Amino acid sequence: MLTEVLQQVINGLVMGSTYALTAVGLTMIFGMMRVVNFTHGEFYMLGGFFAFQLTASLHLNYYVSVVVAILAVMAVGFVCERVLLAPLRGKSIDTTVLVTIGLSIFLQNLALLWWGPTPKSIPLPFSNTPLQWGPVVLTWSRILAVSITFGLIVLVHLLIQKSLLGKAMRATFQEKDAALLAGVDVERIYAFTFTLGAGLAAGAGVLLGSIFLIYPSMGNIAILKAFIVVILGGMGNFIGAICGGLILGVTEGLGAGFVSSGYKDAIGFVLVILILMFRPSGLFGKARRL
Amino acid sequence: MAERDRLGRKTTAGGAWATRTVFGVLLLAAFLVPLALRGYWVRLLANVFMFGILAQGVNIIAGYCGYLALGNILFFGLGAYVTAVLMTHFGVPFPVAFAASGAGAVIFSAGIGLLILRLKGQYFLMATLALSELMREVISSLDITGGGRGLTLPMFTGGAATVNNFFYYLMLLLMLACTFCIWLIDRSYLGLAFKAIKFDEDAASVMGINPPPYKTAAWAISSLFTGFAGSAFAYWMGYIDPGVVFEITPSIKMYLMMVLGGAGTVWGPVAGALFIELVSELAWSRFMEYQFLIVGSILILTCLFTPKGLMDLVGKKFTWSLFTKGIRENKI
């Protein structure tokens, strides 16, 4: 019984860190910039497919292709932000949401045309045989994903809390006009934040694509989980995103193991509705009313 | 010409006879279609009318009241499942199940609406999305709904032509009823209150409109339309499963139709439904795999350039400033 609980918790933590990884970029775009970005799942998917294309067809080194894939998605994100989202800034959120949905459908079906519906796997430079530590089973790629997740989240957190650029970002999203008056180039901050968020989504796509499989609709479930995690952890709260991801993963793991596996995915949605109704600033934010 | 009534709307005095004639002819044609056309076209148009109902459903909550209920497909699924469960497990006749679907959707939306309509903008949107996903998960796991295997409804008795005609007229009448309902709301104090809430909720509440009851009413009406559509769809198809009735595509399409035709207008969403469904149906035969690329592009372009809908452009001279106006004054 105890080992079973332990294995479920470990599984939950591994799943939870993948959720956290997917959610970091969204914490920037949805949490800080307040853009309800449904394209996030497609940036995630494109990250996986670019890395697949580079390693499988062009036979590039795995680590090089990871970096190139992330940069390529950042370029896509930058163009989308400049062309589609920048003109709508400060206008109604409804059209912005619908534009990101339209873009998401467009990119997903473009990927479907280009790569086809069959799931693909990214060739890895290391073996994916499971490691056994006592009762717990893990693989190398999962350990890599988990450690990179935590590394990235800490880096982004430091960037935003400690650097001058981070200060400018926080100022821009809290009070755009005041930031403009203080000499912040607001448009560049918006473009930079969105691009970085897209890059983080791509990073998540590459890492999780190395563990699981990649297919054009892989972003659909990822983005739902990411939205759940961002709302759980509190909008724009990076430490909250880690904790939110882990909590979601563990609750799902335990729920699937001990209640019913049919309701596994329902848990997150119940949590979101409860959080939105009773504590909209998230589990880890300061309590405030919307 | 531009006289105004007590609610400040322009009253059209005469000169509208041409519009009325065209309108009357179209309506008459719609009722005569099943006599003249083959089954394929009758089914296609019934589907168009169903999307018209769904688009009118989001029109009330998002177009008039300004609350983007992205998860509105929830009521479609709920209506479909109430009908399916009542008809298969309890042997209830269709009209009763149909009424129960509408009632179920209204009770659910009013109950949940009181809780989540306090949320604004993106928070409301996320909550409705979470609700619809939750409903899908619950229905996929329950025994009474057949879980992921779905439910097979009792057959509609009659030949193929009878079936086609029955659902054609059902969808047509339902769509006309929804549109008539929106027309009534548009002319009433209720509609004015909805528009005030959309324009500025705080200002509306200062002016003596208490938003929560109005928002709940808007969502309840929206869910009623959508629930009826779901019920009729379930009986029409004869088989439903969670993947079919909670599919994400119609839920996006109905927004596209509303925005394309004109959010917050009486006939816009119906025109949008007709346009999108006919275009995608005609394009389907040749460009099956490009279908969603086109839908995505139209959604992006519509939201960027004609957020008020195509109907808003009718009768205006096309200039460069009209083209950029959509971006400058971007509001649906």
Side-chain angles (χ1 to χ4, degrees):
Chain A
M1 179 67 188
L2 194 65
T3 48
E4 210 179 303
V5 174
L6 191 68
Q7 180 67 47
Q8 293 295 357
V9 169
I10 296 283
N11 286 351
L13 286 175
V14 172
M15 273 321 282
S17 55
T18 67
Y19 294 158
L21 181 58
T22 330
V24 192
L26 201 64
T27 308
M28 302 190 88
I29 297 176
F30 176 48
M32 290 175 65
M33 287 174 77
R34 298 296 160 105
V35 174
V36 186
N37 181 25
F38 281 93
T39 318
H40 199 74
E42 273 50 56
F43 293 149
Y44 169 84
M45 176 268 299
L46 283 180
F49 269 114
F50 284 167
F52 165 77
Q53 190 79 47
L54 291 169
T55 44
S57 322
L58 302 177
H59 306 292
L60 244 64
N61 175 291
Y62 174 75
Y63 298 99
V64 175
S65 36
V66 167
V67 175
V68 175
I70 292 175
L71 289 176
V73 175
M74 285 172 86
V76 174
F78 178 78
V79 172
C80 293
E81 204 278 340
R82 285 290 89 189
V83 175
L84 300 176
L85 297 179
L88 296 180
R89 184 128 45 243
K91 308 276 168 36
S92 111
I93 72 152
D94 304 354
T95 40
T96 316
V97 171
L98 293 174
V99 164
T100 66
I101 292 178
L103 187 60
S104 148
I105 302 175
F106 185 84
L107 291 177
Q108 195 175 39
N109 286 282
L110 204 60
L112 188 64
L113 275 182
W114 190 262
W115 286 290
T118 337
K120 307 209 160 38
S121 61
I122 302 174
L124 297 178
F126 40 81
S127 86
N128 226 346
T129 45
L131 305 171
Q132 185 111 22
W133 286 331
V136 178
V137 184
L138 277 172
T139 60
W140 257 122
S141 52
R142 286 186 184 218
I143 295 171
L144 186 73
V146 171
S147 32
I148 291 182
T149 304
F150 286 100
L152 273 180
I153 291 177
V154 169
L155 272 181
V156 173
H157 182 73
L158 287 178
L159 168 77
I160 286 172
Q161 295 300 330
K162 304 290 176 199
S163 74
L164 191 63
L165 181 62
K167 208 181 229 176
M169 284 162 76
R170 281 181 289 142
T172 303
F173 304 129
Q174 269 170 25
E175 192 57 65
K176 188 178 153 195
D177 295 333
L180 202 61
L181 279 176
V184 176
D185 188 344
V186 172
E187 279 304 310
R188 267 170 78 177
I189 294 290
Y190 273 109
F192 173 78
T193 314
F194 194 87
T195 310
L196 188 59
L200 287 168
V206 178
L207 288 174
L208 302 188
S210 313
I211 301 178
F212 308 108
L213 293 167
I214 46 175
Y215 45 94
S217 60
M218 69 194 266
N220 292 357
I221 189 76
I223 189 162
L224 284 176
K225 299 286 181 195
F227 272 125
I228 294 174
V229 170
V230 173
I231 291 171
L232 280 187
M235 306 279 274
N237 184 340
F238 288 92
I239 306 302
I242 302 188
C243 302
L246 296 181
I247 289 175
L248 180 66
V250 172
T251 342
E252 280 186 2
L254 291 176
F258 297 102
V259 185
S260 152
S261 58
Y263 288 108
K264 178 173 159 284
D265 287 324
I267 294 167
F269 300 120
V270 174
L271 285 177
V272 159
I273 294 166
L274 291 178
I275 289 277
L276 283 175
M277 285 198 301
F278 299 109
R279 206 180 151 79
S281 54
L283 289 176
F284 305 96
K286 290 195 192 77
R288 68 187 158 80
R289 291 193 65 85
L290 289 174
Chain B
M1 173 192 142
E3 284 177 50
R4 283 168 188 271
D5 67 1
R6 82 190 158 82
L7 293 178
R9 291 174 314 237
K10 280 182 201 158
T11 49
T12 38
W17 63 270
T19 330
R20 283 187 195 158
T21 313
V22 172
F23 187 73
V25 168
L26 277 179
L27 208 58
L28 192 67
F31 275 97
L32 295 179
V33 158
L35 301 178
L37 290 172
R38 283 183 299 125
Y40 167 80
W41 285 100
V42 175
R43 279 197 302 277
L44 175 63
L45 282 170
N47 194 43
V48 168
F49 298 148
M50 189 186 80
F51 271 104
I53 302 164
L54 295 179
Q56 290 290 34
V58 287
N59 189 19
I60 271 286
I61 182 74
Y64 278 91
C65 215
Y67 274 73
L68 206 65
L70 265 192
N72 239 26
I73 198 76
L74 152 75
F75 302 114
F76 186 76
L78 188 68
Y81 266 100
V82 168
T83 298
V85 168
L86 285 178
M87 287 180 77
T88 47
H89 292 300
F90 301 98
V92 171
F94 176 68
V96 181
F98 182 73
S101 294
V106 167
I107 292 167
F108 187 81
S109 66
I112 293 283
L114 284 175
L115 293 172
I116 68 166
L117 277 164
R118 290 182 304 155
L119 303 168
K120 289 185 186 152
Q122 65 252 50
Y123 298 96
F124 175 72
L125 183 158
M126 294 315 306
T128 61
L129 205 58
L131 269 179
S132 88
E133 291 296 321
L134 180 61
M135 180 67 86
R136 180 224 296 264
E137 295 294 336
V138 169
I139 283 181
S140 314
S141 309
L142 285 178
D143 280 334
I144 195 165
T145 58
R149 292 185 314 281
L151 280 175
T152 308
L153 283 84
M155 285 287 281
F156 182 92
T157 43
T162 327
V163 176
N164 284 343
N165 291 353
F166 175 78
F167 288 104
Y168 178 87
Y169 284 116
L170 181 64
M171 293 294 186
L172 175 63
L173 289 175
L174 207 51
M175 187 195 75
L176 290 176
C178 292
T179 311
F180 180 65
C181 182
I182 287 192
W183 181 73
L184 283 180
I185 290 170
D186 191 65
R187 296 166 55 83
S188 71
Y189 180 80
L190 189 65
L192 207 60
F194 289 168
K195 287 176 205 165
I197 290 172
K198 179 185 180 183
F199 188 71
D200 188 337
E201 191 166 339
D202 293 331
S205 69
V206 171
M207 297 301 286
I209 295 165
N210 183 24
Y214 286 103
K215 292 188 286 186
T216 313
W219 210 30
I221 297 168
S222 162
S223 73
L224 180 70
F225 294 174
T226 318
F228 277 152
S231 168
F233 176 80
Y235 194 33
W236 187 19
M237 291 297 121
Y239 165 80
I240 53 167
D241 67 42
V244 173
V245 293
F246 287 103
E247 212 196 330
I248 196 82
T249 325
S251 141
I252 293 160
K253 262 192 185 170
M254 59 203 195
Y255 270 93
L256 173 58
M257 290 159 178
M258 178 191 76
V259 179
L260 191 68
T265 62
V266 175
W267 281 99
V270 172
L274 197 65
F275 182 81
I276 291 291
E277 278 304 288
L278 286 184
V279 165
S280 68
E281 192 63 31
L282 296 176
W284 251 41
S285 45
R286 255 177 287 168
F287 308 110
M288 186 79 171
E289 60 269 41
Y290 297 104
Q291 199 209 157
F292 288 105
L293 286 182
I294 298 169
V295 167
S297 320
I298 298 180
L299 185 57
I300 295 174
L301 294 176
T302 310
C303 288
L304 279 177
F305 296 112
T306 59
K308 296 257 180 236
L310 289 181
M311 297 281 264
D312 191 51
L313 299 181
V314 173
K316 287 187 185 157
K317 201 166 154 258
F318 186 83
T319 56
W320 179 250
S321 78
L322 185 68
F323 185 67
T324 56
K325 185 171 166 256
I327 292 186
R328 274 184 287 115
E329 298 168 14
N330 199 282
K331 197 159 177 24
I332 62 172

